[in-house]
Amino acid sequence: DSHKWAIFIAAANFPEDNNTKLGNGGLYLAEGIAAYLIGHNQYPTANIMILFDDGWIRSENGYGTKQKTLQERTHDYDITYGSAIKTNVLSSLEYLIAESNKYPDSEVFVWVFGHGVGDQNQSLVGGKIFQSSEIFLWDDTITDTELGDILAPLESTKTTILIDACYAGGFADRTILNF
């Protein structure tokens, strides 16, 4: 058995304003990376979770109406899907940590995709000098310190954490320092 886990967290279409929506691309990118990890790195499908928006796929690349839940879609692999609401994100990360900590050779991949919290009028740093970085989830946010605290019990020495969001530079130091 391969002791590898991956979680993809993407909240892209929560804003009311279509100009700031990121579409369904985050979901498709997560599925593409998951397929690569399964096919080339022997990640078991049972150990992969994709949390996207509120758990629904929408028409017009995320700009339209709800079409079906993530689980109702046709999938190439039997992986776990859910919504990127804070309770799901926290419980999924806690599960991943508890399971991966059972094995000294565990490998963990974490990818967070979405909008970072910042001031668009301050294009250089987003108004985030000496402040915590935050990323929007579907129903809340998660800060760099909070993610670091959540990941602190993770024992895997083979861990990749990717934060793919604007104004998220604080995750580089605060999450790693706590980890």
Side-chain angles (χ1 to χ4, degrees):
D1 255 349
S2 182
H3 304 136
K4 300 177 181 185
W5 287 263
I7 185 167
F8 301 85
I9 303 163
N13 296 312
F14 63 90
E16 294 293 325
D17 178 10
N18 275 346
N19 292 332
T20 59
K21 289 184 179 182
L22 299 174
N24 295 329
L27 171 64
Y28 303 138
L29 186 55
E31 289 176 329
I33 297 169
Y36 181 86
L37 292 175
I38 293 165
H40 293 87
N41 295 83
Q42 294 73 48
Y43 274 65
T45 57
N47 293 356
I48 296 179
M49 297 172 270
I50 296 178
L51 308 179
F52 179 71
D53 281 354
D54 60 348
W56 286 83
I57 190 79
R58 288 174 169 71
S59 64
E60 301 175 40
N61 192 32
Y63 299 97
T65 58
K66 291 179 179 178
Q67 298 298 301
K68 55 179 79 172
T69 66
L70 298 175
Q71 295 86 344
E72 293 173 327
R73 296 170 52 242
T74 303
H75 303 102
D76 292 333
Y77 297 100
D78 187 22
I79 59 180
T80 302
Y81 285 88
S83 61
I85 63 171
K86 192 158 191 175
T87 56
N88 283 357
V89 169
L90 297 178
S91 63
S92 297
L93 285 168
E94 288 168 359
Y95 171 80
L96 178 146
I97 292 165
E99 291 301 306
S100 68
N101 282 352
K102 293 177 182 177
Y103 306 96
D105 64 339
S106 68
E107 184 173 314
V108 173
F109 182 89
V110 178
W111 182 65
V112 183
F113 169 86
H115 286 287
V117 177
D119 182 351
Q120 294 178 352
N121 295 321
Q122 295 186 30
S123 60
L124 185 59
V125 294
K128 290 303 210 170
I129 296 177
F130 304 117
Q131 295 179 10
S132 285
S133 292
E134 287 179 271
I135 296 176
F136 283 103
L137 300 174
W138 182 262
D139 64 340
D140 206 336
T141 63
I142 189 165
T143 67
D144 48 14
T145 303
E146 192 173 12
L147 184 61
D149 290 345
I150 293 164
L151 294 175
L154 182 62
E155 296 172 4
S156 174
T157 59
K158 298 178 184 174
T159 300
T160 301
I161 302 169
L162 298 175
I163 307 296
D164 189 359
C166 293
Y167 314 119
F171 283 89
D173 60 355
R174 290 184 186 91
T175 300
I176 291 170
L177 287 176
N178 289 355
F179 180 58

